[in-house]
Amino acid sequence: MALQLGKAIGRGARRSLSVSGIVALVLMICYQVLFVGSFNAVIVDTLPSEVRSGDAGIGFALPLSTEVAAGVAVVALLLGIGIFLVTARLLARDLSDLSSLPGNLFTRRLGRAFLSALVVSVVLGVAIPIGFAFLLVPGLFLAVSLQFAVFAVAVEDTGPIEAFRRSWGLASGNRWRLLALVVLFGVIGAIGGAVGSVFAFVSPSAGQLASLVINSVLVILMYGIIADSFVQLRGGSASATSSLA
């Protein structure tokens, strides 16, 4: 099946602006603020006292001890995987269903899905940067071919290996179109980063908080577009698998 880019972008934006998209956005902002704030707290506590007392340019930091902040950062990072799973489930439904928030989308086989998504995230976090480090083309090829892996885990309840196979199969025959989406996401991300950096002139904390909010909006927009692409290429929606609950 050929991916229709125009529909994916248009309907993806509608998915992102739906009730489900807004809920996912709030969760994404909370996760990013919690993770970055606790991570910054760890960084700040490792700085010399004379640097810490001045403007180190770190950004905002939660008022936590180093040990507590490190624990919170780890928990937040793991929480983020769950949020990405739920976001995929919320946005990969029929457009008419996006105003509802069924509880099973937040709980269905969550433990198994979390472990599978954790493996997928680690593999992607290693493989794609390595591909970019050696040559641009391998990195792009992997990013294009494996971008549906998390959706396969979240929506179709697959394991990590099957998720990679599923994503590879869905991308087959559509890699140039999907590459166009990856490039689009890169351009949007760069613009969002530039806008967020403007707030850094006010203060590092304001700049970082603004960047987090903008980045969260862009992530949900990108997830909406990928969700619609996923739905198109699999020839259905998440409703087909909701009966597994």
Side-chain angles (χ1 to χ4, degrees), residues 7 18 20 31 37 47 65 72 110 139 150 154 162 174 189 209 220 233 237:
K7 285 187 176 181
S18 66
S20 293
Y31 147 65
L47 295 175
S65 67
V72 171
L110 189 58
V150 172
E162 182 58 32
N174 289 281
L209 285 170
I220 297 303
L233 294 177
S237 70

Side-chain angles (χ1 to χ4, degrees), residues 119-146 164 168:
V119 173
V120 167
S121 299
V122 170
V123 172
L124 292 180
V126 172
I128 293 178
I130 288 177
F132 277 112
F134 284 97
L135 287 171
L136 178 63
V137 174
L140 286 173
F141 186 76
L142 288 174
V144 166
S145 300
L146 303 179
F164 288 128
W168 195 277

Side-chain angles (χ1 to χ4, degrees), residues 15 18-21 87-102 104-105 155 227-228 231 236-239 242:
R15 292 175 187 277
S18 66
V19 171
S20 293
T87 297
R89 289 178 175 178
L90 285 171
L91 298 184
R93 295 181 292 158
D94 291 330
L95 288 170
S96 59
D97 295 333
L98 296 181
S99 60
S100 63
L101 299 169
N104 71 305
L105 296 181
V155 177
D228 199 85
V231 169
S237 70
S239 58
S242 60

Side-chain angles (χ1 to χ4, degrees), residues 53-77:
S53 60
D55 185 4
I58 297 298
F60 77 97
L62 297 176
L64 302 171
S65 67
T66 304
E67 295 76 13
V68 173
V72 171
V74 172
V75 171
L77 190 60

Side-chain angles (χ1 to χ4, degrees), residues 7-228:
K7 285 187 176 181
I9 294 172
R11 294 193 306 206
R14 289 175 59 190
R15 292 175 187 277
S16 302
L17 294 172
S18 66
V19 171
S20 293
I22 293 172
V23 169
L25 174 61
V26 172
L27 292 174
M28 189 68 63
I29 292 174
C30 291
Y31 147 65
Q32 293 213 51
V33 169
L34 185 63
F35 174 71
V36 174
S38 56
F39 183 80
N40 284 348
V42 174
I43 299 299
V44 168
D45 285 344
T46 63
L47 295 175
S49 57
E50 61 272 14
V51 177
R52 193 186 313 169
S53 60
D55 185 4
I58 297 298
F60 77 97
L62 297 176
L64 302 171
S65 67
T66 304
E67 295 76 13
V68 173
V72 171
V74 172
V75 171
L77 190 60
L78 296 176
L79 178 64
I81 295 176
I83 290 175
F84 279 111
L85 279 172
V86 170
T87 297
R89 289 178 175 178
L90 285 171
L91 298 184
R93 295 181 292 158
D94 291 330
L95 288 170
S96 59
D97 295 333
L98 296 181
S99 60
S100 63
L101 299 169
N104 71 305
L105 296 181
F106 296 84
T107 59
R108 175 167 54 89
R109 299 181 181 178
L110 189 58
R112 179 178 183 274
F114 175 85
L115 292 176
S116 296
L118 179 61
V119 173
V120 167
S121 299
V122 170
V123 172
L124 292 180
V126 172
I128 293 178
I130 288 177
F132 277 112
F134 284 97
L135 287 171
L136 178 63
V137 174
L140 286 173
F141 186 76
L142 288 174
V144 166
S145 300
L146 303 179
Q147 64 181 292
F148 297 122
V150 172
F151 280 83
V153 170
V155 177
E156 298 179 344
D157 296 317
T158 64
I161 295 177
E162 182 58 32
F164 288 128
R165 290 175 178 169
R166 179 64 163 150
S167 181
W168 195 277
L170 291 174
S172 180
N174 289 281
R175 287 189 172 89
W176 285 110
R177 296 180 180 87
L178 293 172
L179 176 60
L181 286 182
V182 171
V183 173
L184 175 63
F185 296 157
V187 172
I188 292 176
I191 294 174
V195 173
S197 64
V198 173
F199 290 90
F201 289 104
V202 179
S203 74
S205 296
Q208 193 168 60
L209 285 170
S211 294
L212 288 181
V213 173
I214 294 172
N215 180 63
S216 296
V217 171
L218 296 180
V219 166
I220 297 303
L221 174 61
M222 289 186 286
Y223 249 61
I225 295 172
I226 296 174
D228 199 85

